[in-house]
């Protein structure tokens, strides 16, 4: 019985420790093994211990005083008591086994419930964490959408203002604007459209200058002007008559002012001219020598060219159409700045060819010195310096090697 009580105390301690550790989590593998070992150990009953010397002396004195008949009856009663004690011991061992098995089952049930509770607690905590992260991500997404919408609104407003006016005032507005964040800059660059160009002249629409129709009022068509007796020479002996074109300007079908050396002619795009047609022989028709015949939409231009590259000849540009050949004289004030680079290119090429014919071993510095001392300069070239030469260097080298 003392052993049974000791084991019960141990089991109670183990149960108490297990219940305390339920809060922390399920028991470890070592703890479960120890509990099972304690449960599996069945209480072993002790056999009847032999009597001590004191007991034997008292029993011997009592037996000596009894008679022989009582000795025979005591022997029979001892045999019956031994059989009854053995049966009682077996019953007690069975009861103890049943109790131990019941305790084992209770322990297993409690362990399983503790494991289930711990796993369920973990699941609930995991679900809570997932829900919290989801709410945080939703808040961040809403904030980003608001920022993007604000950036797109600002970009659209700026695009509208840029399409309405492409003026110099935009630089002042940009300097007055507050500094943008990197995110706004990315959104604006992605939302802003590319600047649109004309399909024919390939110029930016915000930088194009127009040649209005009202400036051609009272002008004749090309086919009418070249037949006029004040301009045409009937007995010139040429298939295509030649004329001088003064106060000229070149434009496309949309009346966009275009440089003469633009790629429109090579791309088979229609290029037209307007100006005053004069006779190629000055003084032959004095009535029209000063003003000429105002003509509109000459063309389309088939080709343009340059003549007078030697020293004795006069440099002049010209164009060819289906009805005539035209030598370009003075440009219209609205077109003078547009044709100036082309005139400067050919004038520098002419000077370079003449200079190399005199000294083939000359250097670049020598040619610049020759440009500064050359006189007289034409009306379209008031000043030529190293900057103008470098600006047209590629064209000058190509034309100089070909000539």
């Amino acid at each position: 019985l003392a052993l049974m009580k000791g084991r019960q105390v141990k089991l109670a301690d183990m149960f108490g420790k297990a219940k305390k550790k339920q809060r922390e989590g399920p028991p470890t593998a070592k703890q479960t093994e120890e509990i099972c070992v304690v449960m599996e150990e069945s209480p072993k009953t002790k056999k009847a211990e032999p009597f001590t010397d004191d007991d034997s002396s008292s029993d011997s004195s009592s037996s000596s005083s009894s008679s022989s008949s009582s000795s025979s009856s005591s022997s029979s009663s001892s045999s019956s008591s031994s059989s009854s004690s053995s049966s009682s011991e077996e019953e007690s061992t069975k009861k103890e086994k049943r109790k131990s098995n019941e305790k084992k089952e209770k322990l297993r049930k409690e362990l399983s419930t503790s494991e289930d509770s711990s796993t369920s607690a973990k699941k609930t905590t995991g679900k809570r964490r997932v829900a919290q992260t989801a709410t945080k991500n939703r808040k961040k997404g809403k904030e980003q959408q608001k920022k993007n919408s604000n950036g797109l609104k600002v970009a659209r407003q700026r695009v509208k203002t840029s399409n309405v006016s492409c003026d110099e005032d935009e630089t002042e507005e940009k300097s007055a604007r507050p500094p943008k964040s990197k995110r706004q800059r990315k959104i604006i660059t992605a939302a802003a459209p590319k600047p649109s160009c004309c399909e024919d002249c390939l110029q930016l629409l915000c930088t194009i200058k127009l040649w209005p129709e009202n400036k051609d009022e009272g002008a004749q068509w090309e086919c009418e002007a070249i037949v006029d007796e004040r301009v045409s020479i009937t007995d010139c002996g040429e298939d295509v008559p030649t004329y001088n074109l003064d106060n000229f300007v070149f434009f496309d079908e949309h009346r966009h002012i275009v440089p003469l050396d633009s790629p429109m002619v090579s791309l088979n795009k229609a290029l037209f001219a307007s100006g005053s047609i004069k006779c190629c022989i000055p003084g032959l028709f004095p009535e029209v020598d000063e003003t000429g015949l105002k003509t509109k939409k000459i063309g389309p231009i088939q080709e343009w060219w340059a003549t007078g590259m030697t020293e004795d000849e006069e440099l002049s540009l010209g164009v060819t159409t289906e009805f005539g050949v035209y030598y370009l004289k003075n440009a219209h004030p609205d077109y003078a700045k547009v044709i100036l680079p082309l005139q400067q290119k050919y004038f520098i090429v002419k000077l370079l060819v003449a200079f190399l014919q005199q000294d083939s071993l000359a250097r670049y510095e020598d040619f610049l010195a020759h440009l500064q001392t050359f006189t007289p300069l034409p009306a379209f070239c008031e000043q030529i310096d190293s900057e103008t030469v470098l600006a047209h260097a590629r064209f000058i080298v190509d034309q100089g090697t070909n000539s």
Side-chain angles (χ1 to χ4, degrees):
L1 289 172
L3 290 171
M4 287 291 292
K5 287 179 181 180
R7 289 191 182 93
Q8 285 178 359
V9 170
K10 286 183 182 180
L11 289 171
D13 292 334
M14 295 296 286
F15 280 123
K17 291 179 182 178
K19 286 179 180 179
K20 287 180 181 177
K21 290 181 180 179
Q22 278 181 0
R23 298 175 184 176
E24 300 176 356
T28 59
K30 291 183 179 180
Q31 290 177 355
T32 52
E33 287 179 1
E34 289 177 359
I35 293 166
C36 293
V37 167
V38 172
M39 293 298 296
E40 286 176 359
E41 288 180 357
S42 61
K44 297 178 181 180
T45 56
K46 286 187 177 182
K47 292 182 180 180
E49 294 180 355
F51 293 105
T52 58
D53 295 333
D54 297 330
D55 297 330
S56 62
S57 62
S58 61
D59 291 333
S60 61
S61 61
S62 61
S63 61
S64 60
S65 60
S66 62
S67 60
S68 62
S69 61
S70 61
S71 63
S72 62
S73 62
S74 63
S75 62
S76 61
S77 63
S78 62
S79 63
S80 62
S81 64
S82 63
S83 63
S84 63
S85 62
S86 62
S87 62
S88 63
E89 286 176 358
E90 289 176 358
E91 289 177 358
S92 63
T93 53
K94 288 179 181 180
K95 287 180 181 180
E96 288 175 357
K97 285 181 180 180
R98 287 175 187 174
K99 288 180 181 180
S100 64
N101 291 328
E102 288 176 358
K103 288 179 180 180
K104 286 180 183 179
E105 289 178 358
K106 286 181 181 180
L107 273 175
R108 288 171 183 172
K109 287 180 182 180
E110 288 178 355
L111 291 172
S112 63
T113 53
S114 65
E115 288 177 356
D116 293 335
S117 63
S118 63
T119 53
S120 63
K122 287 182 180 179
K123 288 180 180 178
T124 53
T125 53
K127 288 179 180 179
R128 288 175 185 173
R129 289 176 184 173
V130 171
Q132 289 175 357
T133 52
T135 52
K136 288 181 181 178
N137 292 328
R138 286 173 187 170
K139 289 180 180 178
K140 288 181 181 179
K142 288 180 181 179
E143 290 177 357
Q144 288 179 358
Q145 286 178 359
K146 287 180 181 178
K147 289 180 181 178
N148 292 332
S149 63
N150 294 329
L152 288 172
K153 286 179 182 178
V154 173
R156 286 169 184 168
Q157 290 176 358
R158 288 178 184 170
V159 170
K160 286 180 182 178
T161 55
S162 64
N163 289 331
V164 171
S165 61
C166 293
D167 300 330
E168 296 178 354
D169 297 335
E170 289 181 357
T171 56
E172 297 178 358
E173 291 178 0
K174 287 179 182 178
S175 62
R177 287 174 191 163
K180 306 172 192 173
S181 63
K182 292 183 179 180
R183 190 170 190 79
Q184 284 180 347
R185 285 176 187 171
K186 289 181 181 178
I187 293 166
I188 289 166
T189 52
K194 293 181 180 180
S196 55
C197 300
C198 178
E199 295 180 355
D200 293 335
C201 65
L202 304 177
Q203 296 183 102
L204 294 175
L205 294 177
C206 61
T207 59
I208 284 175
K209 294 181 180 180
L210 293 173
W211 178 252
E213 293 183 0
N214 57 7
K215 290 189 177 182
D216 288 337
E217 289 181 357
Q220 298 179 1
W221 294 99
E222 182 186 9
C223 58
E224 297 174 354
I226 62 175
V227 183
D228 197 318
E229 294 178 355
R230 294 175 292 178
V231 175
S232 64
I233 301 173
T234 56
D235 298 330
C236 61
E238 295 180 358
D239 296 335
V240 181
T242 59
Y243 305 93
N244 291 335
L245 186 62
D246 197 12
N247 204 22
F248 60 86
V249 63
F250 291 91
F251 53 89
D252 62 358
E253 288 183 349
H254 307 288
R255 305 192 72 86
H256 298 159
I257 294 175
V258 180
L260 182 60
D261 57 344
S262 65
M264 288 188 63
V265 177
S266 59
L267 295 173
N268 295 323
K269 299 290 181 68
L271 182 65
F272 301 95
S274 291
S276 299
I277 294 177
K278 296 180 181 181
C279 181
C280 60
I281 301 172
L284 188 59
F285 301 101
E287 298 176 357
V288 194
D289 280 347
E290 293 182 359
T291 58
L293 294 178
K294 194 174 180 180
T295 311
K296 61 182 178 180
K297 211 167 185 181
I298 300 169
I301 307 300
Q302 293 180 351
E303 61 178 354
W304 64 273
W305 33 266
T307 59
M309 301 300 291
T310 60
E311 292 183 1
D312 300 333
E313 296 177 349
E314 182 183 358
L315 178 65
S316 62
L317 300 173
V319 294
T320 304
T321 65
E322 186 179 357
F323 300 104
V325 176
Y326 301 91
Y327 288 91
L328 305 180
K329 295 302 180 181
N330 297 318
H332 190 275
D334 294 340
Y335 197 73
K337 292 182 179 180
V338 180
I339 195 127
L340 179 61
L342 184 62
Q343 291 174 338
Q344 288 180 347
K345 289 177 187 178
Y346 275 104
F347 182 71
I348 294 170
V349 170
K350 179 181 177 178
L351 293 180
L352 178 63
V353 172
F355 183 71
L356 291 175
Q357 286 177 356
Q358 295 176 1
D359 186 4
S360 60
L361 300 177
R363 296 177 298 174
Y364 175 70
E365 291 80 6
D366 300 332
F367 179 64
L368 290 179
H370 177 67
L371 285 176
Q372 293 175 359
T373 58
F374 182 81
T375 54
L377 292 173
F380 56 81
C381 289
E382 296 179 356
Q383 185 180 0
I384 298 176
D385 53 5
S386 60
E387 292 182 358
T388 56
V389 175
L390 292 174
H392 311 306
R394 186 171 183 179
F395 179 84
I396 293 166
V397 171
D398 293 340
Q399 294 295 324
T401 53
N402 292 330
S403 58

